[in-house]
């Protein structure tokens, strides 16, 4: 059944169109001032908006409302309240007030807060974020909100993101003013490409590791992997196609601009890319997309895995964060028509390069998670080292600026002007050379940050990126002071040259997967934090506190709480994995291997009874292998058990994470290797769980 896309698009969203249609014009104008200029919303206006929103929602079948927010768990949360308000005569009215719209009070004591709130003051409050539209999901009116403690500390992912969008907007406008441009609306634009796996529900249910950890803790490589490159962009299986169609319809109803869908590199892996939007909406939409994927998969007998590395030996899943800045809708990372616009482009570009080099640790930290530890640096995803890919032409320009090609150009002024007029527009129109191995690539008119994992909320990464770039822009604007005209141009070019010189080490156009790169990166002084445990401490550096405090994004207490929450989550996940791993070995693998060994032994006996002189050495070899394997597995199980118990008891989260990363995870890997080795010895009939062959290649 085909749908009329333009009819359903946004039909479940209280968007500007609906607002304009339904709100009295004064209310609409007041609300627009709040949405576009951040002016406070007064209660009278909120009452009118709430009423109209409720009427609209009820017409669409909604019975409840919820403040929809993003606690530090990385997922979204909702608590449904009915609109109903019983009255004396036994009937019920449907009510929704302005107060209920703009503020809610969830009892938030069960959300992670990293020690920010004692339980006795556990109530947090949620505040409506009118810059992201309300929408209806499963008969519930969802109101996107920010989530704070009563003392005003941010308890969610959205609050700092919104703050960072404000500061980058402020600083970008200061820079634009130097170029003689009037104040503009600055948007951080983001397109989040979402990768995921789809597998059959039946097999999923037979694997405790998939059910509890979202990844396989065991499994021998499938006979066929991704070596034929036949899955990428390949024809989409009918079951998957049905899923994708339903998903598109549901997303379009929610006003989510889902655009591109295709098979990814690994078998059973897929991707969905939306059209980019304002960062706040793009991230809300990505979280909704992820939720819809998980829910809708079940309609098709499928399960959607959003883990970064569900299967060993084939590609994992990332979430590419395409990032740029737009001034009144015009991309600032696109060179312009004239020299001044190109100089402006160079300034913004330079500030991003500076930001990424200066805060590389924080960016890497933003992509750190137990799941992503298996992906970064695993020869299929960017390494754990942050670097920037600019492409041949732009790199050449940077080189020319850094190395002062004075022989070719008479003065600094001319360099930039020449670049501005002739070189920039020509090459950027045809930016075809792509480097898939770079974690932070310039792709023509935007940057693509490829480290983040598929299961992540991109708010943290973008909060860091926005704030770091805001700092670069601020330093530039401060340095330029009141300079005007040619003086400003010369100073700006000199500044750009100096910054590029200082931060050139972050630029790397080569192969990020090669063995030489980590060596070279180390020589350049770039950091290479391989695990979450290694990546986290940079959050507590003075430099981090300074950056976030300077721009009012997060204070030291808030940062410390985030650090605790993230480490705690990491440690809890490893704990769950270790327990699942042990459980599966004890209750599934060891009994199955032992049973098969007994059968082999019995058969040897039976054959011998009939043929005394039979050569049974092959069977005996198998039996020996099985026995030796059982012993090796049992030894490792004991070691893992002891280590796991010891590490779990460590109170300090950082120390616990260090031990998890350096001891528990490697032991689980060793144990896995022993079990996997026997998977291809034991008969398929005896093997207690579906194999990679079964899971990855379904009809
Ligand atoms: P690829 O898969 O080759 O990386 P796609 O075209 O599939 O590229 O995805 C690129 C993503 O970047 C899309 O979500 C697109 O909307 C987004 N994008 C394009 N221009 C911008 C921009 N100016 N700012 C942010 N994102 C952008
Ligand atoms: Mg991409």
């Amino acid at each position: 059944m085909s749908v009329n896309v333009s009819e359903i698009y946004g039909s479940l969203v209280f968007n500007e169109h609906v607002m304009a249609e339904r709100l009295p014009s004064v209310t609409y104008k007041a609300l627009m001032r709040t949405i576009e200029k951040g002016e406070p919303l007064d209660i009278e206006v909120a009452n009118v908006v709430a009423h109209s929103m409720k009427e609209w929602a009820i017409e669409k079948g909604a019975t409840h409302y919820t403040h929809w927010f993003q606690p530090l768990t990385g997922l979204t949360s909702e608590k449904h309240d009915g609109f109903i308000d019983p009255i004396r005569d036994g009937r019920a009215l449907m009510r929704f007030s302005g107060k209920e719209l703009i503020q809610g009070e969830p009892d938030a004591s069960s959300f992670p807060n990293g020690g920010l709130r004692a339980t006795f003051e556990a109530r947090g409050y949620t505040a409506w974020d009118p810059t992201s539209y309300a929408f209806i999901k499963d008969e519930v009116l969802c109101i996107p909100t920010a989530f704070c403690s009563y003392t005003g500390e941010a308890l969610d992912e959205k609050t700092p993101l919104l703050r960072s969008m404000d500061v980058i907007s402020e600083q970008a406008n200061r820079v634009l003013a130097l170029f003689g441009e009037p104040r503009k609306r600055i948007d951080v634009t983001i397109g989040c490409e979402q990768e995921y796996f789809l597998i059959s529900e039946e097999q999923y249910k037979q694997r405790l590791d998939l059910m509890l950890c979202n990844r396989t803790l065991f499994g021998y490589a499938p006979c066929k992997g991704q070596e034929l490159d036949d899955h990428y962009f390949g024809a989409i299986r009918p079951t998957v196609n049905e899923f994708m169609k339903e998903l598109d319809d549901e997303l379009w109803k929610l006003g989510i601009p889902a655009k591109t869908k295709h098979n990814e590199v690994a078998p059973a892996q897929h991707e969905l890319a939306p059209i980019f939007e304002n960062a706040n909406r793009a991230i809300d939409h990505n979280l909704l997309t992820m939720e819809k994927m998980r829910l809708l998969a079940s309609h098709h007998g499928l399960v959607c895995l959003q883990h970064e590395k569900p299967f060993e030996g084939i590609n994992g899943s990332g979430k590419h964060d395409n990032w740029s800045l737009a001034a009144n809708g015009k991309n600032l990372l696109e060179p312009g028509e004239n020299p001044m616009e190109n100089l402006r482009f160079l300034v913004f570009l330079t500030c991003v390069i500076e930001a990424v080099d200066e805060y590389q640790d924080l960016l890497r930290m933003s992509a750190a998670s137990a799941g992503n530890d298996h992906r970064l640096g695993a020869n299929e995803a960017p390494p754990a080292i942050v670097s920037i890919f600019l492409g041949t032409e732009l790199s050449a320009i940077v080189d020319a600026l850094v190395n002062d090609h004075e022989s070719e150009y008479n003065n600094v002024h001319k360099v930039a002007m020449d670049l501005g007029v002739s070189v920039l527009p020509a090459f950027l129109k045809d930016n075809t050379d792509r480097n898939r191995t770079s974690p932070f690539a310039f792709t023509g008119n935007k940057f693509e940050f490829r480290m983040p994992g598929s299961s992540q909320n991109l708010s943290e990464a973008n909060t860091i990126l926005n704030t770091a770039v805001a700092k670069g822009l601020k330093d530039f604007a401060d340095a330029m002071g009141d300079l005007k005209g040619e003086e400003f141009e010369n100073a700006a070019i000199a500044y750009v040259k100096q910054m590029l010189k200082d931060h050139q080490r972050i630029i790397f156009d080569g192969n990020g997967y090669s063995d030489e790169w980590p060596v070279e990166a180390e020589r350049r002084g770039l950091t290479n934090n391989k695990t979450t445990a290694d990546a986290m401490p940079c959050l507590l550096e003075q430099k981090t506190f300074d950056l976030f405090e300077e721009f009012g994004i997060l204070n030291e207490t808030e940062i410390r709480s985030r650090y605790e929450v993230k480490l705690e989550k990491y440690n809890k996940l490893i704990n769950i994995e270790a327990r699942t791993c042990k459980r599966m070995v004890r209750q599934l693998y060891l009994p199955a291997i032992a049973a098969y060994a007994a059968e082999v032994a019995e058969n040897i006996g039976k054959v011998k009874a009939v043929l005394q002189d039979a050569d049974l050495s092959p069977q005996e070899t198998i039996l020996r292998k099985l026995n030796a394997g059982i012993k090796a597995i049992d030894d490792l199980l004991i070691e893992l058990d002891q280590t796991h118990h010891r590490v779990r008891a460590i109170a300090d989260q950082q120390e616990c994470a260090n031990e998890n990363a350096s001891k528990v995870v490697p032991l689980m890997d060793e144990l896995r290797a022993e079990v996997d080795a026997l998977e291809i010895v034991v008969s398929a009939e005896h093997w207690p769980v579906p194999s990679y062959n079964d899971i990855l290649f379904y009809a």
Side-chain angles (χ1 to χ4, degrees), residues 260-278:
T260 311
K261 50 185 180 183
H262 60 81
N263 284 351
E264 258 301 329
V265 170
Q269 192 186 27
H270 313 279
E271 178 184 302
L272 183 146
I275 296 172
F276 68 94
E277 300 177 274
N278 158 291

Side-chain angles (χ1 to χ4, degrees), residues 62-115:
T63 53
H64 289 68
Y65 71 91
T66 183
H67 285 244
W68 184 78
F69 59 100
Q70 302 167 25
L72 299 178
T73 47
L75 302 169
T76 55
S77 291
E78 42 193 85
K79 180 191 87 178
H80 304 169
D81 279 308
F83 290 124
I84 60 159
D85 187 3
I87 50 174
R88 296 189 94 184
D89 65 1
R91 290 176 306 150
L93 297 180
M94 300 294 261
R95 279 192 218 275
F96 184 49
S97 70
K99 192 166 164 292
E100 284 165 319
L101 166 63
I102 52 184
Q103 198 160 311
E105 298 183 22
D107 173 7
S109 53
S110 302
F111 289 110
N113 59 64

Side-chain angles (χ1 to χ4, degrees), residues 200-353:
S200 111
E201 198 166 16
E202 221 167 283
Q203 276 150 358
Y204 170 84
K205 283 186 184 151
Q206 296 174 54
R207 299 237 10 176
L208 193 66
D209 46 4
L210 280 175
M211 290 203 296
L212 300 187
C213 312
N214 286 311
R215 78 173 181 108
T216 53
L217 301 175
F218 301 92
Y220 194 85
C223 303
K224 175 183 167 188
Q226 57 195 45
E227 63 274 48
L228 295 177
D229 291 323
D230 53 352
H231 194 256
Y232 190 60
F233 285 8
I236 298 171
R237 297 180 167 106
T239 352
V240 171
N241 213 10
E242 286 305 311
F243 160 82
M244 286 179 168
K245 275 194 216 163
E246 190 186 358
L247 178 64
D248 275 343
D249 288 351
E250 291 296 306
L251 296 181
W252 290 335
K253 284 183 204 163
L254 289 168
I256 299 174
K259 169 95 171 153
T260 311
K261 50 185 180 183
H262 60 81
N263 284 351
E264 258 301 329
V265 170
Q269 192 186 27
H270 313 279
E271 178 184 302
L272 183 146
I275 296 172
F276 68 94
E277 300 177 274
N278 158 291
N280 182 31
R281 280 183 208 164
I283 290 173
D284 281 359
H285 282 167
N286 174 251
L287 294 169
L288 269 173
T289 301
M290 291 171 73
E291 182 181 314
K292 283 286 174 201
M293 282 175 170
R294 292 192 300 268
L295 289 174
L296 296 181
S298 69
H299 294 178
H300 304 269
L302 300 168
V303 171
C304 175
L305 300 175
Q306 294 167 346
H307 190 279
E308 283 77 12
K309 192 76 178 177
F311 304 99
E312 195 62 37
I314 55 173
N315 276 13
S317 300
K319 175 147 50 202
H320 294 174
D321 180 35
N322 294 274
W323 181 97
S324 191
L325 286 174
N328 283 354
K330 199 165 176 300
N331 190 345
L332 288 169
L333 288 178
E334 188 119 44
E337 306 284 312
N338 58 56
M340 278 307 270
E341 283 180 9
N342 286 331
L343 180 57
R344 186 189 71 188
F345 164 78
L346 274 183
V347 168
F348 277 92
L349 184 80
T350 301
C351 288
V352 176
I353 292 171

